[in-house]
């Protein structure tokens, strides 16, 4: 696995330019947390890191026009190197605000990582356990492209090329005097200008800066030719160009040329022509094996169900009958240690952003799944208990039951019902197992998931939005009934379900609705979106990310939409099911799936309507609009491209919640 020294991951999603642009608050573009670089909580490294971040953010208070600072904290081997870079045109106050926000947020975005980097619209913050000063680094790479096409791409690209090459020259030539930053504009036609920006970290030499910018600029041929704007960021340099001013006073004074409401921003070209969408590709280097292993579906193996059948009834009944009290839900740490053989690696069945998951066997023989939350949970003990009690009350045959918790010292642990089969993705996307899911089985799974989500949204006492519904969060029991896992994690982990937006985006790219991915706005309709993606995956047997890997020019949603529009929806179907299926059901499910992934949340059906659509043929479905994430451009073959989610589905267990690279893209 280690043979592959560098791999890249590309995530594609759209981002509206308004987000980057209109908000005075620091706007997080992306946090990259280096995999496999965890430090031990409470270690010397952690204290060095805290000192470093404090020092960086306090340095930002005495900027005096300086946009860059590097510093270190601690002693080898626990020395931490850190730096920040503010966009060259922002004021000291904005820079300071951005660096302070970044130093706080990076700890929650990348808990316990020895190396991390956060890109905001206004600044970059970066730290590492190795020296990162004066070294040109071009990985990880964040690529964003405006998805609107130019009418006259050849001429446009020529002018862009000339403009940007000129800016690079200017920025790097007089590098001692300049901050390795340059902006400029060029006329495209009488009424339209092209605005450009380039910047390097000023610790580079001029020639290194120039190399860095030239290298990343040459990447536009892979992503962005013919597009109205593009932006590529790597640790050492970045550039951007658009048809509207996005820097300096101009940005503040002029609204972005297209200044539609936030929602219409997401509309695909053609539907509402005014919007400015960005296609983002995030190219992440791979420090090692995690990603490769990500593609191997580490499923739950050798699950024995007999023990559960034999022993479980008494304890489960107890839980059911006496659920309201905290005591009845509390597990003793010693019990869980014993059940998991001291949290031995052999018992580990998963790893996710919220923590590791172990399989345990109680002394009674009852099998349980134990999620040991990583310690970065901000939640206090009382709050934690309260949330667990609430979430434990959510009981439905299509939900994995939360049996209890353990709270001891720093430890926060959740105890779940053990579900013997693997997660849905292990069947759906495995050529050897796909065959086990025939149409009627898949249809039932779709219905089960819909009812589980409906319960969370409407039928339970508290309204819960899942926020990370995806194939790997749907477990299958012995009879292949779907059970949704990981609901309520936002609550338990210290989120706020009642507010309609959040700093902590916990979803998975591809499954996240545009409004959630970009602005952190979540609602029941963002779950509906994820459900729609899941339905299309179930029907097609293809991952939402699948299409990025091939030469196809659109993603799963775009593909499904096109087939639908062309009147050949059945071609979407997994060929393995072609022999026996109910035509009406399949078409209806595709129809419903497309309704769920529409861009405007108001256009998407509620889960109640979805359940109705599935159960009654008399309901007439409206015609779907083109899906939100309609990706019109292909990705180039140079990258072994995978979608984010695969990364931490890696040790993939049904339990993992992906927070690694993808999640948490946008704060509020
Ligand atoms: C940084 O941390 C990683 C992960 O723990 C380790 O493999 C690497 O050797 C460290 N680098 C330095 C320079 O200490
Ligand atoms: C970890 O850090 C916390 C807070 O700084 C402290 O209270 C606790 O004693 C530490 N635990 C260990 C094992 O060092
Ligand atoms: C910042 O980086 C430069 C170049 O590597 C180095 O000489 C300088 O000591 C660094 N500053 C700090 C405070 O470490
Ligand atoms: C950067 O510049 C220095 C000299 O200024 C050079 O030695 C080095 O090779 C350059 N390249 C990188 C990748 O740092
Ligand atoms: C460098 O800057 C000086 C002063 O701003 C200017 O006169 C000179 O032409 C610049 N050199 C280049 C190569 O741009
Ligand atoms: C200039 O170019 C823009 C973008 O292609 C176009 O919308 C606009 O109509 C053009 N204006 C003129 C006067 O050609
Ligand atoms: C820019 O133009 C030069 C010269 O025409 C060409 O060699 C280069 O490939 C172009 N770069 C891009 C990114 O289009």
């Amino acid at each position: 696995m280690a043979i592959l020294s560098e791999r890249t991951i590309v995530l594609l999603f759209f981002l509206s330019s308004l987000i980057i642009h209109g908000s005075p608050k620091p706007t997080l573009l992306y946090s990259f947390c280096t995999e496999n670089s965890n430090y031990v909580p409470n270690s010397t490294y952690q204290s060095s890191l805290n000192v470093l971040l404090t020092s960086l953010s306090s340095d930002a208070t005495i900027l005096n026009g300086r946009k860059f600072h590097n510093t270190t904290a601690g002693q080898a081997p626990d020395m931490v190197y850190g730096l920040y870079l503010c966009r060259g045109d922002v004021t000291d106050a904005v820079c300071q605000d951005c660096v302070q926000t970044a130093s706080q947020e990076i700890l929650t975005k990348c808990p316990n990582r020895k190396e991390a980097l956060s890109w905001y619209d206004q600044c970059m913050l970066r730290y590492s356990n190795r020296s990162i000063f004066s070294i040109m680094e071009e990985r990880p790479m964040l690529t964003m492209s405006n998805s609107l096409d130019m009418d006259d791409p050849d001429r446009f690209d020529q002018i862009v090329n000339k403009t940007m090459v000129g800016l690079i020259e200017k920025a790097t030539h007089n590098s001692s005097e300049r901050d390795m930053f340059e902006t400029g504009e060029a006329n495209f036609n009488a009424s339209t200008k092209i605005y450009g920006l380039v910047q390097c970290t000023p610790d580079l030499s001029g020639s290194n800066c120039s190399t860095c910018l030239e290298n990343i600029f040459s990447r536009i041929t892979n992503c962005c030719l013919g597009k109205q704007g593009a932006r590529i960021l790597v640790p050492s340099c970045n550039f951007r160009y658009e048809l509207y001013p996005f820097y300096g006073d101009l940005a503040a004074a002029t609204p972005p040329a297209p200044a539609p409401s936030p929602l219409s921003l997401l509309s695909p070209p053609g539907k509402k022509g005014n919007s400015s969408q960005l296609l983002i590709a995030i190219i992440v280097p791979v420090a090692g094996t995690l990603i490769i292993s990500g593609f191997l579906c580490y499923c739950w193996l050798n699950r024995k169900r007999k023990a559960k059948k034999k022993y479980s009834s008494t304890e489960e009944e107890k839980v059911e009958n006496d659920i309201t009290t905290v005591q009845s839900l509390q597990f003793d740490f010693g019990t869980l240690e014993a059940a998991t053989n001291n949290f031995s690696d052999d018992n580990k069945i998963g790893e996710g952003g919220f923590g590791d998951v172990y399989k345990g066997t109680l002394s009674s023989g009852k099998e349980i799944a134990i999620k040991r939350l990583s310690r970065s949970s901000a939640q206090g003990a009382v709050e934690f208990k309260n949330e667990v009690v609430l979430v434990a009350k959510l009981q439905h045959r299509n939900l994995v039951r939360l049996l209890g918790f353990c709270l001891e010292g720093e430890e926060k642990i959740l105890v779940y019902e053990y579900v013997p089969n693997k997660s849905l993705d292990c069947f759906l996307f495995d050529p050897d197992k796909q065959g086990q899911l025939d149409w009627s089985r898949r249809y039932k799974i779709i219905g089960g998931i819909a009812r589980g989500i409906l319960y969370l949204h409407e039928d339970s006492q508290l309204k819960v939005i899942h926020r990370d519904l995806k194939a790997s969060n749907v477990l299958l029991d012995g009879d292949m009934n779907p059970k949704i896992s990981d609901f309520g994690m936002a609550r338990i982990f210290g989120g706020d379900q009642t507010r309609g937006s959040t700093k902590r985006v916990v979803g998975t790219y591809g499954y996240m609705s545009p409004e959630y991915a970009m602005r952190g706005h979540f609602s029941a309709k963002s779950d509906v979106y994820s459900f729609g993606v899941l339905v299309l995956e179930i029907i097609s047997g293809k991952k939402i990310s699948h299409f990025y890997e091939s030469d196809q020019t659109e993603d799963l949603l775009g593909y499904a939409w096109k087939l639908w529009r062309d009147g050949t929806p059945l071609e979407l179907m997994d060929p393995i099911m072609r022999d026996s299926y109910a035509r009406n059901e399949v078409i209806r499910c595709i129809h419903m799936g497309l309704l769920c992934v529409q861009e405007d949340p108001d256009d998407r059906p509620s889960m109640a309507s979805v359940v109705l659509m599935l159960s009654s043929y008399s309901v007439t479905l409206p015609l779907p609009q083109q899906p939100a994430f309609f990706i019109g451009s292909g990705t180039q073959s140079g990258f072994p491209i995978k979608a984010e989610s695969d990364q931490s589905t890696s040790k993939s267990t049904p339990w993992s919640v992906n927070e690694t690279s993808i999640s948490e893209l946008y704060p509020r």
Side-chain angles (χ1 to χ4, degrees), residues 35 73 78 144 173 263 311 318 371 417 423 434 479 511 521 564 605 645 656:
E35 294 296 345
D78 293 307
M144 307 159 83
H173 232 91
L263 276 179
Y311 298 110
K318 195 175 112 215
K371 181 179 301 199
E417 157 194 28
S423 56
Q434 280 174 326
D479 302 319
Y511 289 95
H521 290 179
W564 175 265
S645 56
S656 65

Side-chain angles (χ1 to χ4, degrees), residues 107-108 111-112 353-355 372-381 383-385 407 410-414 489-495 504 659:
L107 290 174
T108 48
N112 300 345
F354 289 119
R372 193 176 192 183
L373 299 185
S374 61
R375 311 203 177 164
S376 58
S377 155
Q379 193 81 285
E383 271 177 300
F384 175 78
K385 284 184 193 174
L407 198 56
E410 294 270 283
E411 290 281 355
K412 284 178 189 156
I413 294 174
L414 297 174
M489 283 313 288
R491 296 192 79 103
I492 292 174
F493 214 72
R504 190 178 179 81
E659 295 192 287

Side-chain angles (χ1 to χ4, degrees), residues 262-483:
L263 276 179
S264 69
L265 273 170
L266 303 169
S267 63
K271 190 179 162 203
K272 295 167 199 163
N274 239 3
S275 67
S276 177
Q277 299 177 328
L278 292 173
L279 165 69
I280 302 189
I282 294 155
I283 302 162
V284 180
V286 171
T289 59
L290 204 104
I291 304 227
I292 298 127
S293 59
F295 304 134
L296 311 170
C297 204
Y298 283 179
C299 304
W300 294 15
L301 296 169
N302 304 325
R303 300 298 166 217
K304 294 177 197 127
R305 299 170 45 226
K306 51 185 189 323
K308 178 178 176 177
K309 281 233 162 101
K310 239 197 265 173
Y311 298 110
S312 61
S313 58
T314 50
E315 283 191 41
E316 274 181 7
E317 270 159 27
K318 195 175 112 215
V319 170
E320 249 163 40
N321 298 338
D322 191 16
I323 195 142
T324 45
T325 63
V326 171
Q327 286 74 15
S328 67
L329 293 170
Q330 190 143 17
F331 282 74
D332 177 56
F333 187 66
T335 307
L336 298 182
E337 264 182 327
T340 55
N341 198 4
N342 244 329
F343 296 100
S344 80
D345 278 349
D346 290 345
N347 283 51
K348 193 147 141 186
I349 52 179
E351 216 173 77
F354 289 119
D356 296 342
V357 184
Y358 299 83
K359 182 188 172 184
T361 310
L362 295 175
S363 56
S364 64
K366 180 185 170 66
E367 290 178 308
I368 51 178
I370 295 171
K371 181 179 301 199
R372 193 176 192 183
L373 299 185
S374 61
R375 311 203 177 164
S376 58
S377 155
Q379 193 81 285
V382 174
E383 271 177 300
F384 175 78
K385 284 184 193 174
N386 288 343
E387 294 301 347
V388 169
V389 170
L390 287 175
V391 172
K393 283 181 182 162
L394 300 171
Q395 294 183 22
H396 185 272
R397 63 191 298 263
N398 296 116
L399 300 180
V400 176
R401 183 182 295 171
L402 177 60
L403 299 177
F405 71 97
C406 165
L407 198 56
E408 196 146 305
E410 294 270 283
E411 290 281 355
K412 284 178 189 156
I413 294 174
L414 297 174
V415 180
Y416 288 91
E417 157 194 28
Y418 181 75
V419 180
N421 249 326
K422 303 161 191 181
S423 56
L424 178 58
D425 58 337
C426 294
F427 286 88
L428 208 50
F429 308 129
D430 182 340
D432 294 329
K433 302 213 184 79
Q434 280 174 326
Q436 293 179 39
L437 298 177
D438 58 16
W439 171 250
S440 71
R441 176 50 58 202
R442 292 190 199 198
Y443 192 60
K444 281 184 189 138
I445 289 174
I446 291 173
I449 298 169
R451 286 189 296 275
I453 297 290
L454 173 62
Y455 172 84
L456 288 178
H457 284 181
E458 294 188 31
D459 296 344
S460 63
Q461 288 152 319
L462 65 163
K463 183 177 166 121
V464 172
I465 294 164
H466 189 297
R467 296 167 60 177
D468 198 19
L469 182 63
K470 56 182 169 182
S472 58
N473 273 341
V474 175
L475 310 192
L476 297 174
D477 71 12
D479 302 319
M480 303 296 264
N481 294 311
K483 279 178 178 280

Side-chain angles (χ1 to χ4, degrees), residues 536 547 551-572 590 594 597 624-627 629-633:
L536 295 174
F547 289 71
D551 287 336
Q552 307 273 353
T553 50
E554 58 295 87
D555 67 347
L556 176 59
L557 305 188
Y559 180 57
W561 164 251
K562 212 156 107 187
L563 293 173
W564 175 265
R565 203 186 43 194
D566 296 345
T568 54
L570 286 173
E571 279 184 43
L572 182 68
I590 295 174
L594 286 170
V597 296
Q625 308 268 348
Q626 183 170 320
F629 285 156
F630 187 79
I631 295 175
S633 68

